[in-house]
């Protein structure tokens, strides 16, 4: 419906080389689609919160929409997406 926004979810980890390479593409996507209502969320499956924080900053991820999934083993979300 008019006025609705799209949710872009990026699941990544600091140890995942392909995930890190994709950040430049997602930045270009944001730049190219800046006039559209798109919400960007970054979910890390890192085990180490320090590595997640350091790498989130290093790669310029938005701090207000970047999270670490603490309950990976019991996450219904990760189960539903067959992660």
């Amino acid at each position: 419906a008019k006025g609705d926004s799209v949710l872009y979810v990026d699941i990544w980890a600091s140890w995942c080389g392909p995930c890190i390479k994709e950040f430049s593409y997602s930045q270009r996507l944001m730049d190219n689609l800046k006039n559209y209502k798109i919400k960007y969320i970054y979910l890390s499956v890192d085990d180490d919160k320090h590595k997640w924080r350091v790498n989130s900053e290093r790669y310029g991820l938005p701090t207000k929409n970047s999270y670490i999934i603490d309950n990976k083993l019991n996450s219904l979300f990760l189960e539903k997406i067959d992660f």
Side-chain angles (χ1 to χ4, degrees):
K2 191 172 184 174
D4 287 349
S5 60
V6 172
L7 182 62
Y8 173 95
V9 179
D10 189 322
I11 301 173
W12 69 284
S14 61
W15 45 261
C16 176
C19 301
I20 302 303
K21 285 182 182 179
E22 291 295 320
F23 288 147
S24 64
Y25 297 108
S26 66
Q27 185 60 52
R28 278 192 266 165
L29 180 71
M30 279 189 227
D31 293 342
N32 290 333
L33 300 176
K34 64 185 169 197
N35 294 325
Y36 294 89
K37 289 186 173 185
I38 302 174
K39 295 178 182 178
Y40 298 87
I41 295 180
Y42 294 85
L43 302 175
S44 171
V45 293
D46 274 300
D47 291 324
D48 185 325
K49 285 187 181 184
H50 176 73
K51 286 183 181 179
W52 162 66
R53 280 191 201 103
V54 167
N55 286 290
S56 290
E57 188 174 313
R58 175 184 296 159
Y59 298 110
L61 302 183
T63 54
K64 72 174 194 171
N65 292 327
S66 184
Y67 306 94
I68 190 167
I69 298 176
D70 284 330
N71 63 337
K72 287 178 286 305
L73 298 177
N74 300 317
S75 170
L76 184 58
F77 171 72
L78 292 179
E79 181 182 325
K80 290 291 183 186
I81 65 167
D82 197 24
F83 185 77

